[in-house]
């Protein structure tokens, strides 16, 4: 589900693609999309989806070998780059601090199949978490924008399970945004403690556009009641009965539901089409919310740790220290 937004710097955002091999998917994410972002020195962040990462890196090494850590280029080239991304990381190779036309870029390259699996099944809850926040899609040959609606619906349901009976629109967006930071080890020392708040407040209207269809969908099912407030935000109240919680759980990815069923128990039932489906059994809303929290936190913790190690290997010592120093500086400023 892509945001139908026109950015004044749209041509500028896509400029880097002119010097890279063709991609099947490309989106920009992060502070670049902040309407009031005046920091021209901030890095522009990309996710690039390709069919064959090794082949793509092989082509890119011929065009832009300086984007990669020199030791990887000399020791193994595209094959080593892909092996580290898949074997150590979570299938994504990042090239940060790429300078082009007086701007700094970072781009992550992922196999299209891995991207689709993460969005639809929360396999690793890495790129799916990024795509739960506002992004600006520049290339979309596989209709990832439409497929992402499954991811956004699941994120909405997960966030609702963690929220109290009454809350605001901003509370909901903050809870959705925080899903991908649950268990992230960087949040303890290398991330701004106010990061979620800044993301939501800085991109509030983009969040509203992304999640409006799912709020209306839940309201139609009588799971939510929506009312306007004086500050033009929605006040939201939700049905907290077990039947409502069960409906929310049913919107989570099948793999997640299966793991919840193994921990809490499950029963078989027939759906409207006569198929046998498995339903998670729980005795309270708190029980199912805690189970989901543990599952999401574990996924995020493992993925963030693996990607951090892969990042240090692939960007080299100088860029690795530089990137971590920038992150820690922001984190310390937020704590002091």
């Amino acid at each position: 589900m892509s945001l139908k937004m026109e950015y004044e710097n749209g041509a500028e955002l896509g400029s880097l693609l002119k010097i890279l091999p063709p991609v099947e998917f490309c989106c920009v994410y992060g502070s670049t999309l902040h309407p009031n972002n005046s920091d021209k020195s901030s890095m522009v962040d990309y996710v690039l989806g390709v069919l064959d990462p090794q082949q793509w890196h092989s082509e890119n090494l011929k065009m832009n070998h300086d984007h990669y850590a020199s030791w990887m280029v000399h020791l193994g080239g595209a094959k080593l780059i892909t092996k580290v991304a898949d074997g150590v990381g979570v299938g994504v190779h990042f090239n940060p601090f790429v300078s082009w036309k007086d701007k700094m870029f970072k781009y992550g390259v992922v196999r299209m199949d891995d991207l689709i699996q993460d969005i639809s099944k929360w396999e690793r809850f890495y790129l799916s978490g990024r795509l739960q926040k506002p992004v600006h899609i520049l290339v979309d040959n596989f209709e990832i924008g439409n497929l992402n609606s499954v991811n956004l619906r699941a994120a909405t349901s997960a966030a609702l399970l963690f929220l109290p009976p009454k809350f605001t629109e901003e509370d909901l967006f903050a809870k959705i945004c925080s899903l991908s930071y649950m268990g992230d080890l960087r949040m303890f020392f290398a991330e701004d403690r106010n990061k979620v708040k800044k993301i939501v407040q800085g991109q509030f209207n983009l969040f509203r556009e992304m999640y409006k269809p799912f709020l209306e969908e839940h309201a139609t099912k009588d799971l939510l009641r929506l009312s306007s407030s004086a500050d033009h935000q929605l006040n939201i109240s939700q049905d907290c009965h077990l039947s409502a919680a069960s409906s929310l759980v049913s919107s989570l990815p099948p793999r997640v539901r299966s793991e919840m069923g193994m921990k809490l128990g499950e029963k078989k039932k027939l759906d409207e089409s006569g198929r046998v489906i498995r339903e998670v059994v729980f005795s309270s809303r708190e029980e199912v919310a805690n189970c989901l929290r543990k599952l999401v936190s574990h996924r995020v913790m493992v993925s963030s740790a693996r990607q951090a190690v892969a990042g240090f290997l692939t960007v080299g010592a100088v860029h690795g220290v530089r990137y971590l120093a920038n992150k820690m500086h922001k984190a310390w400023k937020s704590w002091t």
Side-chain angles (χ1 to χ4, degrees), residues 63-76:
M63 301 166 66
N64 304 292
H65 67 88
D66 56 319
H67 291 185
Y68 298 83
S70 58
W71 77 269
M72 296 199 83
V73 175
H74 296 303
L75 290 183

Side-chain angles (χ1 to χ4, degrees), residues 302-318:
V302 172
S303 292
S304 63
R306 288 180 60 177
Q307 194 59 39
V309 174
F312 271 101
L313 289 174
T314 56
V315 303
V318 174

Side-chain angles (χ1 to χ4, degrees), residues 165-313:
K166 294 184 179 181
F167 51 92
T168 66
E169 216 175 350
E170 185 173 328
D171 293 332
L172 173 63
F173 300 154
K175 189 60 68 175
I176 290 171
C177 186
S178 71
L179 293 176
S180 59
Y181 299 118
M182 287 182 177
D184 191 333
L185 300 176
R186 298 171 304 170
M187 295 303 291
F188 294 104
F189 67 94
E191 288 290 2
D192 186 340
R193 65 182 298 193
N194 300 311
K195 183 169 186 172
V196 169
K197 182 178 180 181
K198 289 179 179 178
I199 291 173
V200 172
Q201 291 184 348
Q203 304 179 31
F204 184 83
N205 288 333
L206 299 182
F207 271 101
R208 173 177 278 174
E209 184 177 350
M210 284 180 79
Y211 286 98
K212 181 181 178 182
F214 306 103
L215 289 177
E216 293 176 344
E217 177 183 307
H218 283 68
T220 301
K221 295 178 181 177
D222 293 326
L223 297 174
L224 299 179
R225 288 197 186 90
L226 313 176
S227 59
S228 299
S229 62
D231 60 357
H232 304 294
Q233 261 201 63
L234 286 177
N235 285 325
I236 305 171
S237 60
Q238 65 170 323
D239 181 349
C240 289
H241 290 99
L242 286 184
S243 59
S246 183
S247 179
L248 295 176
V249 170
S250 70
S251 295
L252 299 174
R255 175 84 175 268
V256 174
R257 293 201 310 269
S258 176
E259 291 181 30
M260 293 175 74
M262 286 190 288
K263 292 180 180 297
L264 299 177
E266 58 185 16
K267 63 182 180 181
K268 296 180 181 179
K269 57 179 283 188
L270 296 176
D271 66 9
E272 294 177 354
S273 63
R275 292 183 307 162
V276 176
I277 59 173
R278 298 175 184 272
E279 190 174 79
V280 179
V281 176
F282 50 92
S283 57
S284 71
R285 188 183 180 91
E286 292 73 22
E287 180 185 37
V288 75
N290 286 334
C291 180
L292 177 60
R293 183 178 288 107
K294 289 176 183 177
L295 289 175
V296 171
S297 295
H298 182 261
R299 271 176 166 75
V300 174
M301 181 181 67
V302 172
S303 292
S304 63
R306 288 180 60 177
Q307 194 59 39
V309 174
F312 271 101
L313 289 174

Side-chain angles (χ1 to χ4, degrees), residues 7-209:
Y7 296 94
E8 292 181 3
N9 59 343
E12 183 181 347
L13 290 180
S15 65
L16 186 70
L17 294 178
K18 296 176 183 177
I19 64 168
L20 298 175
V23 298
E24 301 297 333
F25 173 79
C26 172
C27 73
V28 180
Y29 66 93
S31 60
T32 303
L33 303 183
H34 193 308
N36 300 318
N37 181 25
S38 57
D39 184 4
K40 300 302 180 183
S41 65
S42 61
M43 206 149 31
V44 182
D45 298 306
Y46 288 80
V47 171
L48 306 178
V50 302
L51 291 177
D52 184 339
Q54 185 171 325
Q55 180 182 341
W56 191 91
H57 288 302
S58 180
E59 293 176 18
N60 197 35
L61 282 166
K62 297 174 185 174
M63 301 166 66
N64 304 292
H65 67 88
D66 56 319
H67 291 185
Y68 298 83
S70 58
W71 77 269
M72 296 199 83
V73 175
H74 296 303
L75 290 183
K79 186 175 183 179
L80 178 60
I81 291 166
T82 307
K83 275 192 172 182
V84 171
D86 291 340
V88 180
V90 291
V92 189
H93 172 87
F94 280 100
N95 282 334
F97 302 110
V98 173
S99 180
W100 168 250
K101 289 191 174 180
D102 300 321
K103 285 197 72 69
M104 201 67 76
F105 297 88
K106 178 181 76 174
Y107 61 88
V109 182
V110 63
R111 186 179 291 100
M112 285 303 303
D113 185 56
D114 290 344
L115 176 61
I116 291 169
Q117 290 297 312
D118 202 30
I119 288 174
S120 59
K121 298 182 180 179
W122 289 6
E123 287 284 337
R124 287 163 170 165
F125 209 81
Y126 188 70
L127 292 179
S128 53
R130 294 188 186 274
L131 288 170
Q132 288 166 1
K133 307 174 191 69
V135 298
H136 181 46
I137 295 177
L138 297 170
V139 179
D140 193 6
N141 296 338
F142 277 63
E143 296 189 354
I144 296 297
N146 291 329
L147 177 63
N148 197 41
S149 61
V150 175
N151 183 29
L152 301 186
R153 181 178 291 106
T156 304
S157 295
L160 289 173
L161 285 169
F162 297 141
L163 285 165
K166 294 184 179 181
F167 51 92
T168 66
E169 216 175 350
E170 185 173 328
D171 293 332
L172 173 63
F173 300 154
K175 189 60 68 175
I176 290 171
C177 186
S178 71
L179 293 176
S180 59
Y181 299 118
M182 287 182 177
D184 191 333
L185 300 176
R186 298 171 304 170
M187 295 303 291
F188 294 104
F189 67 94
E191 288 290 2
D192 186 340
R193 65 182 298 193
N194 300 311
K195 183 169 186 172
V196 169
K197 182 178 180 181
K198 289 179 179 178
I199 291 173
V200 172
Q201 291 184 348
Q203 304 179 31
F204 184 83
N205 288 333
L206 299 182
F207 271 101
R208 173 177 278 174
E209 184 177 350

